[in-house]
Amino acid sequence: MGLYIEVTQPNTTTDGSNGNDSIFGTSSWDVINGVAGHDLLVGGGGDDVIFGGTGNDTIQGGEGDDALIGNQGDDLLQGGNGNDLLQGYVGSDILNGGNGADIFDMLDTEAKTRTETVYRKFFGIRIPVGSRTVTYFDDIDVIQDFDAAEGDMVRIYEFEMSGNLGDFSTSVSNGDTNLMFKGATFAVLEGVTNFNLSNDLELNPG
């Protein structure tokens, strides 16, 4: 069980519970914190700030320039109209900015490494000949509506991966672009085939 809240006082902060809450903001700006549980959090109008907390949340900004932060869990973030900031944070999140120049933050995305054995075949027999270090990610975000013409940007902010632009690359598969760090995919841009690393990716803004 959780809370059902229709916020009546604009320009205030509303906290949810540890349950599965449904919270709806006002036509002005709101700060909404889902806390825990699998929540539905809707900003409405105004420039809202919405935190999902823990759980698999659905967060909708609505009108205005909103900041949507999923926190932990596999979240769905929908910015709506306006120049929105979407941060999936921890988990495999789905991000949809809607209309406007949106920023998709790859925040606290951790690159991991593992060692794999390298084999070669000699006379049909696989023989271990060495090892290699492979980079990978546990969580991969999906960006549904990236549009560079609208001013959208993917931002690497406090990314737990060292390196510079040369460590990043893209590959196109089935009409989607995979964003990769050292060969490992950390995000997929649906329906995008012309992502430009130099123009559309911002590294570690100050």
Side-chain angles (χ1 to χ4, degrees):
M1 296 294 293
L3 303 175
Y4 180 91
I5 301 174
E6 293 184 4
V7 181
T8 58
Q9 183 64 40
N11 308 337
T12 57
T13 298
T14 302
D15 291 332
S17 69
N18 290 329
N20 302 331
D21 306 314
S22 296
I23 303 177
F24 300 86
T26 68
S27 60
S28 186
W29 67 260
D30 306 287
V31 177
I32 299 174
N33 183 3
V35 184
H38 309 317
D39 305 312
L40 171 62
L41 309 174
V42 180
D47 301 338
D48 305 305
V49 179
I50 307 177
F51 301 91
T54 59
N56 304 327
D57 306 305
T58 297
I59 305 176
Q60 299 173 348
E63 302 292 329
D65 301 336
D66 307 305
L68 312 181
I69 299 94
N71 293 121
Q72 298 184 23
D74 299 334
D75 305 307
L76 170 62
L77 276 57
Q78 299 171 311
N81 291 325
N83 304 326
D84 305 307
L85 170 67
L86 292 83
Q87 296 179 349
Y89 206 60
V90 178
S92 296
D93 305 300
I94 298 174
L95 312 178
N96 188 307
N99 295 324
D102 304 308
I103 296 175
F104 301 94
D105 259 0
M106 301 292 103
L107 179 69
D108 199 36
T109 300
E110 183 179 0
K112 298 181 179 180
T113 59
R114 63 172 177 259
T115 300
E116 295 182 348
T117 302
V118 177
Y119 294 89
R120 289 185 180 176
K121 277 190 175 182
F122 295 93
F123 302 103
I125 301 174
R126 294 175 72 240
I127 305 295
V129 295
S131 62
R132 64 179 179 178
T133 300
V134 177
T135 301
Y136 70 99
F137 294 89
D138 286 331
D139 302 318
I140 298 175
D141 290 339
V142 174
I143 299 174
Q144 293 185 320
D145 68 330
F146 183 90
D147 188 350
E150 285 191 343
D152 291 349
M153 180 73 66
V154 174
R155 187 167 68 177
I156 308 302
Y157 186 70
E158 293 185 2
F159 223 39
E160 291 188 11
M161 52 171 73
S162 60
N164 51 46
L165 188 62
D167 292 316
F168 293 84
S169 61
T170 62
S171 69
V172 177
S173 175
N174 298 320
D176 302 328
T177 291
N178 299 315
L179 295 183
M180 298 182 293
F181 174 77
K182 295 185 177 180
T185 298
F186 62 87
V188 176
L189 279 61
E190 291 187 338
V192 174
T193 58
N194 59 346
F195 188 86
N196 188 306
L197 287 172
S198 297
N199 297 331
D200 303 331
L201 186 72
E202 182 180 6
L203 296 183
N204 302 315

